[in-house]
Amino acid sequence: MSPEALMSWIIFTPTLFAFGLIFFDKKAEEPMRYWSLCGTAVTFLQTLLLACSFSPEDAGIQHMVKVPWIENWHINYQVGFDGISLPLVLLTSFVSLLSMMASWSIKKQVKGYLVLFLLLETGMLGVFLSLDFFLFYVFWEVMLLPMYFLIGIWGGPRREYAAIKFFLYTLAGSVLMLIAILMFYFGSAPEGQIGSFDLMQLTAMAEKGDVFSPGLQVAAFILLFIGFAIKVPCFPFHTWLPDAHVEAPTPISMILAGVLLKMGGYGIIRIAFPLCPYGAQYAAYVLVAIGVTSIIYGGFAALAQTDFKRLVAYSSVSHMGYVLLGIAVWKISESNGAAVGRDYWLMGMNGAVFQMLAHGISSPAMFFMVGVIYDRVHHRDINQFGGLSGLMPLYSGLAAGIFFAGLGLPGMCGFIGEVFVVLSAWNFSKTLAIVSASGVIITAGYILWCLQRVYLGPEYKGPHLDEIKANPLTTRETFIGATFLAFCIFFGVFPNYVFDMTGKSMEKLVQGLDTGYQNTQRLTGGVQTTQTTQKQN
Amino acid sequence: MNDIGSLVVRLLDETTKTSVGLFAPELVLSGTIVLMLAFRVLPGLNRIPTQWVALLGAFGSFALALCQFDRLVTGEIPPTSFFTGMLMFDQLGTFFRMFLSLFLILTITLTVLTGIPDRDDAADFYTLLIGSTIGMMIMASANHLLMMFMGVEMTSVPSYAMVGFLKGRKKSSEAALKYVVYGAGAAGVMLYGISLLAGLTGTGSMPDMAQRLGMIVSQNAGIGDATVRTILLAGLMVLVGLAFKLSIFPFHFWCPDAFEGAAAEVAGFLSVASKAGAFALLVRFGLSFTSTSAAVSEVGFSFGIGLGVLAAATATFGNLSAYGQTNIKRMLAYSTIAHAGYMLMAVSALLVLAHGKQVGLDTQGEARRCIEGLIYYLFVYLFMNLGAFAIVSLIRNQIFSEEIEDYNGLATQCPVLCFGMLLCVFSLVGLPPMGGFWAKLVIFSAVFKATAVHWVMWGVLGAGAINTVFSLFYYIRILKAMYIKSRPAGARSVRYDLFPGGVFVLLICLPILGLGILPQGFTDKFHNIADALLTQIGR
């Protein structure tokens, strides 16, 4: 199959399998589970095939498909991938596969759950593969609908609150994004002609620098950034996350942490920065500050938690702060607007993508580990735990490994991304680099303290001890945990597999941003001068 | 004497040769009313079920309107005014006549399924329903201020009776009375406005109005000019009448009470159909201020800005009031108000773009987009709102309640109806891939374009965006009740689901999805309608 067709198959295979579920009897729960597992597995294999057709030497979009969808508006069904989106596509199908395996713990209304799960996967893959702004938006929203129900129906005690909070936050962000979409659509063509939703064309226009005015770029960047920052989530917009992650059922927490948060980061890299380089540079210092704040704030908040799952949720806020930090360390020289130390910035960008990937593996793994123990003891209070290592040695070993990966221990995946990002931050601002580096200490603090309180100490005497003894760890759970751990170590030791993939595309992106900013400034004179000329007019 | 004779001959000639033919859809409906009433009194014929006669009439009218529309599009019949300039025969009007008769078909089918008028009342009910549809059709093709008033009244009077149709219920009678008093007041104000305008210009014909206004207003008259002020006042008064029909803030007070009191089927009919007629009329009236005279254009422009502010207020008010509602019909009534606000944004953008003088802006193209968006919105709204009300009435027939909390856990008992509701609700919020999203996008992009003309439109756009988020909060309560809550023990259960109610609901709700995924064909059609309208006005 050609890679072009393969992409559409990847996006819609889960939907096809979801349709297939309609024909199953309501009571045939096991067959339905295996059928859906097949669906995610087939999707995963297809993404692997797609990865085989990827050539790392090519920096641009590969195998782009562009089919007219709504012609009189110039909206296309346009999909394609490059070194930035491919790792995230692989991550999505991988995490989906493992969370589907983890979905055996769902006992209520299995059919509905599986249908929604598969539709969600279609939405996620669509977001990462689409290159048309309109299509991107549609997939972005399509993903919301199943997520609302997945949290709302199968979640914990406060699920209704968490689900609506998640929905409202994201919808607010996407409405802002919609206004930005209109700005670019109408800004991309002279009056009386039809604009464009093509992200590649818009990026090229932004690079040329004379199409989007600085004012437009700043305004659009703010709108887009808020939309994506809610999803990441960055510090002031993060409050939906602890609720949603805690209340969601384990497999959905895995998806949320593993994939959905990455969409925010991906949106910033793919859309917010390339479409408004001027706006991005204009806001760079604020972005870095937000990133650093997220790191520190998330870390301290995690330290204060007694709910095991909430702790992991806040650790996500902290870890995703590195992503924003890495993307935003764009320093320019005051005289000519060229980037200072562009290679450091490139390193930060690469680190950000690596961090997304690393967090996409370690964080679902941590949520899964919490879920395993929650399924047995039916509570998540860290203070009531302790001494699990004696009762569940294998589980405790896997969990310790995974938590160390989250901590950023050298040799494991969390380390590489953090180091790259912090190093690149030094070039931008030494103070902020020091602050962000100290975040690592806080991370170590909450993770080690948590490990100590949960796994070490005198043997567990809390509620439901019998269930632990009856079933320390099933084969299925061992498989999921071990797979996650293996990948944590693999990427920690061989980070080049990722950097090889992202390298060229990132270089092109950074180069484009740099020229885009310089061109905009040179051709239009930046924000201040335009404002004064407008006044004169 | 000879003059009068030739005049009569000409009149007869015009009426019989062109007008009656063009008026055929309305005539078929009128004939249906006569037939239904006749069948009721004639012995032997009263066995024939009235609803089938009504349905047949509606189909006939739809078919005729469809033919006319086709022939208009191909250019076989040129757009023309008929009945001595009282009505206009053009794409816009004919499209809405088609739209209304389609809606009539769907509403009658729904009443057949839910059995809301019983055998004895059926003839009365369908007479009222069809009668008010004829009124709306006249509204949609009105070309003269007099016909405008006639259309509004012909729509309103049967609606009053329909709202009070559930005779035994106190609420119903109260609602009808409120509606009548309010409607009469609004109609009075509107009539006063019409007489002012007609008095000023010496004509009631809308296409002539702009030219006559241009003659009486001096070229550089500002807002302080007495004539301009009178025109503004008259226009405002006419708008009051239309705002009442559209339930625009602050003329919306009748709406929640009327909807709560009326049967859900009637509420669904009123919410969509009367909007369609009134919006077509509003567009015509607004564009009749299109003139070469700057002062007259200025008046149209002010109306545009004013309507924008009203639209923002209406959407915000409707959405905020919907929060507290526990009765689903009341909630949907407030949602109707909010949607009137979104649609009014399109009209506001249209007037701002059409009358504003902005260098470097393709106002013709952008004005087209406004009308396109408005029609698309109405078209999607037909399905999503009728769908919601249909589901409400089908569920009411089984659980005898319209409170949202009685919907708890229904998803397990009637999955098809609840799935239909899910589509309707997400479309009402405006989420892709539903049709409501596309409709909203077109309107928002029109408003976005209008921001280049006047900064107030930024506020309107912002209000539209924020309201989309607001609205999610209460709409989702319906879905939360259906899907997330569990059915309390001892609650009335819903026994049948798929047939026939479910099939009907799917028939209405699946187009919502289709309109969202493949909007291409329809946007083309609506684009042409808008194009034809604007060319005809001579812009």
Side-chain angles (χ1 to χ4, degrees), chain B residues 135-253:
Chain B
M136 289 161 193
M137 288 176 157
I138 290 177
M139 270 163 95
S141 42
N143 196 36
H144 194 280
L145 292 175
L146 201 60
M147 287 318 282
M148 178 161 143
F149 184 72
M150 290 275 288
V152 170
E153 280 306 281
M154 242 187 109
T155 313
S156 301
V157 175
S159 322
Y160 303 147
M162 273 197 292
V163 167
F165 203 78
L166 302 171
K167 277 166 291 196
R169 283 177 60 196
K170 239 184 179 174
K171 268 214 164 126
S172 197
S173 316
E174 187 193 326
L177 187 65
K178 241 178 195 164
Y179 195 17
V180 172
V181 172
Y182 224 98
V189 176
M190 183 176 176
L191 193 57
Y192 193 69
I194 289 176
S195 53
L196 266 183
L197 268 182
L200 273 171
T201 56
T203 177
S205 169
M206 287 203 264
D208 295 344
M209 220 168 65
Q211 193 204 351
R212 297 279 178 95
L213 285 174
M215 278 150 70
I216 55 171
V217 178
S218 57
Q219 198 47 248
N220 42 11
I223 204 89
D225 187 78
T227 324
V228 173
R229 276 195 196 166
T230 319
I231 297 171
L232 267 176
L233 183 69
L236 268 182
M237 284 174 151
V238 172
L239 287 182
V240 167
L242 291 177
F244 161 74
K245 284 268 76 159
L246 292 170
S247 65
I248 300 287
F249 177 85
F251 305 101
H252 64 276
F253 293 107

Side-chain angles (χ1 to χ4, degrees), chain A residues 69-73 75 134 137 141 145 148-149 152 160 164 167-168 171 175 178 182-183 186 191-192, chain B residues 360-362 366 369 422 431-432 437-438 441 445 448-449 465 469 473 476 480 484-485 517 519-520 523-524:
Chain A
W69 178 16
I70 304 166
E71 260 171 284
N72 43 8
W73 281 69
I75 294 172
F134 187 84
Y137 186 82
E141 297 278 287
L145 315 181
Y148 170 76
F149 290 107
E160 287 170 23
I164 189 71
F167 205 159
L168 279 177
L171 186 66
V175 167
L178 189 64
L182 290 178
M183 284 179 168
F186 290 117
E191 196 49 55
Chain B
L361 198 66
D362 172 25
E366 300 310 331
R369 195 199 307 280
L422 182 134
L431 293 176
F437 166 67
W438 181 256
L441 180 78
S445 55
F448 182 85
K449 268 292 166 186
V469 183
F473 198 73
I476 205 93
K480 193 167 92 180
I484 296 183
K485 300 270 192 222
I517 295 172
Q520 170 86 45
T523 46
D524 274 352

